[in-house]
Amino acid sequence: MKRQKIVAGNWKMNKDFESGLSLASEIIPMVESEASHEVITILFPPFVHLHAIASLTASKHGIFTGGQDCSAQTEGAYTGEVSAAMLKSAGANYVLVGHSERRQYHAETNELCALKINRALEAALSPVYCVGETKEERLADAYQEVIESQLHGGLAHLDEAQMASVIIAYEPVWAIGTGLTASPEQAQEVHAIIRGWLRNHFSAQVANQTSILYGGSVNVGNAASLFGMEDIDGGLVGGASLKSRDFTEIVKANR
Ligand code: PGA
């Protein structure tokens, strides 16, 4: 089975409602003409934009919408939280879990991420589980250990059927929003480590079928060389996803 290629745009906390809608309205027709069975595009706007943007992507081929986070709880007295089932009911098909900014600013642990992944799967959302080492961990040559423990904490409890819905994003923290990109070889090395972990923990089939995205300063200039690596199935794009032309070029680079 061929792995699904994916380019996803993580808008983070950018764009008010009106400018978010116009960005999505620019991106959708450009990307739709590029869409194929091979590459899908996912937009991750802020929660308040999600329903409106999901209504725009709903009838389009190969373009989907997702939430940037979800609660680890199902429902109830958790002020400010948004549940996976709410995201699904608003039109989302995907949700980011464990983005490094959530780990850093909201002290999210692998254990909390595991609960969020469970909630996402129960709501029939595909979780995009983000892993990646900090600059200090890379300099200390500890990245393999760090990434394997993030994988273990977030995913080890799942079964193979559940893993069919999971996407993994490798995002070295030192490359996010910094303009420093992992070289294609550095990224490929970690993607191969992730695939090796999937093979050891689950099976060759899970390893071969799981899409693994690279994120961290992906741009028009570096996308094709990253996406050309054997184990890199696409990208999770932050800054460059806020510019419709750049984002479309990055989608095209994954053909
Ligand atoms: P960046 O962000 O492309 O701006 O580095 C990527 C991400 O955080 O998902």
Side-chain angles (χ1 to χ4, degrees), residues 7-9 11 24 28 40-47 49-60 62-68 87-88 90-96 124-126 128:
V7 174
W11 294 8
I28 291 165
I40 63 165
T41 304
I42 312 169
L43 303 179
F44 288 99
F47 287 143
H49 308 25
L50 199 138
H51 180 251
I53 292 175
S55 308
L56 299 177
T57 58
S59 57
K60 309 293 181 197
I63 311 175
F64 301 91
T65 305
Q68 294 176 15
L87 294 177
K88 181 73 182 181
N93 291 99
Y94 296 86
V95 62
L96 298 179
L125 291 177
S126 287
V128 178

Side-chain angles (χ1 to χ4, degrees), residues 37-120:
H37 289 292
E38 256 186 78
V39 188
I40 63 165
T41 304
I42 312 169
L43 303 179
F44 288 99
F47 287 143
V48 284
H49 308 25
L50 199 138
H51 180 251
I53 292 175
S55 308
L56 299 177
T57 58
S59 57
K60 309 293 181 197
H61 175 73
I63 311 175
F64 301 91
T65 305
Q68 294 176 15
D69 182 37
C70 70
S71 175
Q73 308 293 335
T74 310
E75 67 176 345
Y78 301 100
T79 302
E81 296 267 16
V82 172
S83 74
M86 289 172 188
L87 294 177
K88 181 73 182 181
S89 71
N93 291 99
Y94 296 86
V95 62
L96 298 179
V97 175
H99 189 278
S100 67
E101 287 149 18
R102 302 292 314 173
R103 293 180 188 265
Q104 186 181 352
Y105 303 128
H106 300 272
E108 293 198 2
T109 60
N110 296 328
E111 293 67 35
L112 185 82
C113 292
L115 295 174
K116 292 185 176 201
I117 288 168
N118 292 347
R119 298 295 88 77

Side-chain angles (χ1 to χ4, degrees), residues 18-210:
E18 201 182 318
S19 54
L21 241 65
S22 56
L23 175 62
S25 312
E26 280 169 34
I27 289 173
I28 291 165
M30 286 202 261
V31 161
E32 202 189 12
S33 62
E34 295 305 323
S36 64
H37 289 292
E38 256 186 78
V39 188
I40 63 165
T41 304
I42 312 169
L43 303 179
F44 288 99
F47 287 143
V48 284
H49 308 25
L50 199 138
H51 180 251
I53 292 175
S55 308
L56 299 177
T57 58
S59 57
K60 309 293 181 197
H61 175 73
I63 311 175
F64 301 91
T65 305
Q68 294 176 15
D69 182 37
C70 70
S71 175
Q73 308 293 335
T74 310
E75 67 176 345
Y78 301 100
T79 302
E81 296 267 16
V82 172
S83 74
M86 289 172 188
L87 294 177
K88 181 73 182 181
S89 71
N93 291 99
Y94 296 86
V95 62
L96 298 179
V97 175
H99 189 278
S100 67
E101 287 149 18
R102 302 292 314 173
R103 293 180 188 265
Q104 186 181 352
Y105 303 128
H106 300 272
E108 293 198 2
T109 60
N110 296 328
E111 293 67 35
L112 185 82
C113 292
L115 295 174
K116 292 185 176 201
I117 288 168
N118 292 347
R119 298 295 88 77
L121 293 170
E122 285 160 14
L125 291 177
S126 287
V128 178
Y129 181 49
C130 305
V131 298
E133 80 284 2
T134 62
K135 188 175 168 198
E136 294 68 34
E137 289 161 345
R138 166 126 321 234
L139 291 174
D141 228 4
Y143 54 96
Q144 173 156 3
E145 202 181 308
V146 167
I147 285 152
E148 287 179 344
S149 85
Q150 290 170 334
L151 292 169
H152 197 86
L155 302 176
H157 64 290
L158 300 178
D159 63 29
E160 291 203 19
Q162 291 172 312
M163 278 305 295
S165 305
V166 173
I167 296 160
I168 296 172
Y170 167 56
E171 299 205 304
V173 179
W174 49 271
I176 295 178
T178 57
L180 289 174
T181 317
S183 68
E185 293 72 24
Q186 281 175 319
Q188 166 58 30
E189 184 200 6
V190 176
H191 282 234
I193 289 171
I194 295 170
R195 226 176 275 293
W197 183 87
L198 292 171
R199 193 175 303 114
N200 290 338
H201 193 81
F202 294 102
S203 64
Q205 196 192 327
V206 169
N208 291 336
Q209 81 187 7
T210 304

Side-chain angles (χ1 to χ4, degrees), residues 10 12 99 101 171 175-178 215-218 236-240:
N10 174 12
K12 310 191 179 186
H99 189 278
E101 287 149 18
E171 299 205 304
I176 295 178
T178 57
S217 299
V218 174
L236 179 54
V237 185

